[in-house]
Amino acid sequence: MAQPAPRRKSIGVRVGSVLVGGGAPIVVQSMTNTDTADIAATVAQVSALHRAGSEIVRVTVDKPEAAAAVPHIVEKLAAQGIEVPIVGDFHYIGHKLLTDHPACAKALAKYRINPGNVGFKAKRDTQFSTLIELALRHDKPVRIGVNWGSLDQELLTKLMDENNELPKPHSAAHIMRETIILSALLSAKRAEEIGLGRDKIILSTKVSDVQNLIKVYQDLGVRSDYALHLGLTEAGMGSKGIVASSAAMGILLQQGIGDTIRVSLTPEPNGDRTLEVKVARELLQTMGFRQFVPVVAACPGCGRTTSSTFQVLAKEIEDHLFSSMPEWKDTYPGVENLSVAVMGCIVNGPGESKHADIGISLPGTGETPAAPVFIEGKKVATLRGGDVADQFKQMVADYIEKRFGT
């Protein structure tokens, strides 16, 4: 199998108990959409995101009530045995909230600062400096997160004016990307001048256009060795958001760029917030960067597979493996590397089943009502009868116990 490019070398940053960059595995993170001042709702959503696999969770800290709630949120999570790092997302008045609420500043694992709205005109440097000094005081890392929807307009205007004076001006899109990158790099330089170490700085430069995101991060990756957070901002809803995020981040990850990722999906009304975590994990696992749960291969079905048996069985197996992983991680070390195949007819069924650790080839339309089972490439049984699905599930359980049981 083709291998991705070597990972870009970056400085490791400790975010609570999680290492970002420095050669550590790519980290999955997410963000709540609750009112942070609603402690119970925020605790419930952080818990759900963490159970789904989010290794860092960000919360909005936009008002005094939210800042006051943060220590209680962290405390209640710890009481449930959940010690996922909580990151505070600050805009406009972060300097004041962290100053007025030292318990919040202490409880958070990281501060996220947007240089486009940390302050304006004469107040910008003062308020940015205050945030960095607070990070130093509480020994916290900072993500300097630039977003083209809230870009530093003074810097953009300056670069546009300089560009217009050139004999051959660059395109407006090029200047926009350069502004995004410079905003991040100049802010990081200023943070270092104030005293924040390079091992306390993570950068992100988010846009909502796939091609521009790729170009921005490719350039930023060459021009710095800071740890990088990837994400396509405002990716959208449903399949559009999933495809756009996967396309953009998949290319960058393949090129070795990115130390932590978030898939910024817009949930359906009353939808499942944890979907963004599942997509991020699927992206990393599909590309071979991380292994979270066993892989279930299943054919898409066609006119040869008019029965829904293989679809039902594949879903049952996948759901069972996913729901069992929290317990199995300790009981069956290495089980996340298991591969299972549930196929629907003779065309690709036996071949795919042989490639998996354990696989079944169910009979297609008009085929003999028998289902061969393969373990590690060898045929070990032929299942028949109305309970083939239950027989196979038991064989999977037995195989897991035999191979991964301690």
Side-chain angles (χ1 to χ4, degrees):
M1 183 173 68
Q3 296 296 311
R7 290 273 302 281
R8 164 185 167 276
K9 291 183 179 179
S10 63
I11 298 169
V13 179
R14 181 68 61 179
V15 181
S17 60
V18 177
L19 181 63
V20 174
I26 299 165
V27 174
V28 173
Q29 59 180 282
S30 56
M31 184 175 183
T32 60
N33 63 354
T34 58
D35 179 355
T36 306
D38 186 337
I39 296 172
T42 304
V43 167
Q45 192 170 90
V46 171
S47 177
L49 291 167
H50 182 57
R51 285 198 307 273
S54 184
E55 295 160 303
I56 296 174
V57 178
R58 183 159 45 114
V59 302
T60 298
V61 187
D62 59 341
K63 55 189 176 183
E65 295 82 0
V70 165
H72 301 291
I73 291 167
V74 173
E75 181 181 329
K76 288 183 179 297
L77 288 167
Q80 297 178 23
I82 299 171
E83 296 186 359
V84 60
I86 302 298
V87 176
D89 193 58
F90 295 99
H91 301 274
Y92 307 110
I93 58 170
H95 63 290
K96 179 171 175 54
L97 293 174
L98 286 172
T99 300
D100 293 347
H101 297 271
C104 171
K106 182 179 179 181
L108 291 169
K110 185 178 71 175
Y111 310 153
R112 187 271 175 139
I113 303 173
N114 184 340
N117 57 33
V118 72
F120 301 100
K121 298 187 181 298
K123 293 182 179 179
R124 177 185 291 113
D125 288 344
T126 301
Q127 293 176 183
F128 181 82
S129 297
T130 298
L131 283 164
I132 299 303
E133 288 164 0
L134 285 162
L136 283 166
R137 184 183 308 166
H138 294 281
D139 192 26
K140 305 295 182 180
V142 168
R143 171 156 73 93
I144 296 173
V146 182
N147 190 307
W148 75 348
S150 51
L151 196 54
D152 182 341
Q153 293 302 303
E154 289 185 34
L155 179 59
L156 176 60
T157 300
K158 176 178 179 290
L159 294 184
M160 284 290 190
D161 289 344
E162 291 175 355
N163 184 57
N164 290 335
E165 298 297 322
L166 296 176
K168 293 183 178 181
H170 298 287
S171 67
H174 175 89
I175 299 304
M176 176 72 77
R177 293 194 297 270
E178 181 64 14
T179 305
I180 293 168
I181 293 168
L182 273 183
S183 179
L185 292 177
L186 291 174
S187 297
K189 180 181 179 182
R190 177 60 183 146
E192 286 192 59
E193 289 171 351
I194 296 169
L196 196 65
R198 297 173 70 80
D199 62 343
K200 295 287 187 181
I201 299 173
I202 296 173
L203 299 185
S204 67
T205 48
K206 292 187 176 183
V207 304
S208 57
D209 174 80
V210 170
Q211 294 296 342
N212 276 308
L213 188 87
I214 293 168
K215 290 176 181 177
V216 163
Y217 272 100
Q218 286 173 334
D219 197 355
L220 179 61
V222 170
R223 291 163 68 173
S224 80
D225 60 357
Y226 295 107
L228 298 183
H229 168 79
L230 295 189
L232 184 77
T233 190
E234 284 84 49
M237 185 179 288
S239 60
K240 184 268 180 186
I242 293 172
V243 171
S245 292
S246 299
M249 289 192 285
I251 289 171
L252 291 167
L253 291 168
Q254 185 71 11
Q255 295 175 353
I257 300 169
D259 301 294
T260 176
I261 67 170
R262 181 195 172 200
V263 176
S264 301
L265 296 180
T266 304
E268 302 283 349
N270 300 314
D272 184 0
R273 186 68 170 181
T274 64
L275 178 60
E276 67 175 48
V277 180
K278 296 171 185 175
V279 173
R281 283 163 56 101
E282 286 283 1
L283 175 60
L284 293 179
Q285 177 152 327
T286 299
M287 296 190 68
F289 292 107
R290 299 280 302 270
Q291 197 72 26
F292 299 105
V293 296
V295 174
V296 179
C299 70
C302 66
R304 290 177 175 270
T305 56
T306 52
S307 167
S308 64
T309 303
F310 83 96
Q311 297 165 320
V312 172
L313 179 57
K315 184 69 167 59
E316 289 180 354
I317 291 289
E318 193 166 75
D319 288 348
H320 176 61
L321 294 174
F322 182 82
S323 63
S324 300
M325 275 307 297
E327 177 184 346
W328 283 358
K329 281 191 296 186
D330 297 324
T331 309
Y332 301 117
V335 71
E336 66 274 8
N337 297 303
L338 175 72
S339 60
V340 181
V342 181
M343 306 303 294
C345 80
I346 198 171
V347 174
N348 290 319
E352 286 286 352
S353 297
K354 289 177 182 177
H355 287 303
D357 293 319
I358 179 169
I360 186 170
S361 179
L362 294 162
T365 305
E367 294 178 17
T368 302
V373 176
F374 299 83
I375 293 180
E376 297 176 359
K378 298 178 181 179
K379 182 178 175 181
V380 297
T382 300
L383 307 183
R384 293 181 174 85
D387 63 342
V388 165
D390 290 334
Q391 292 182 60
F392 181 65
K393 284 189 283 187
Q394 185 58 53
M395 292 186 73
V396 171
D398 293 342
Y399 177 75
I400 290 173
E401 175 63 37
K402 180 179 179 181
R403 178 176 170 184
F404 300 102
T406 52

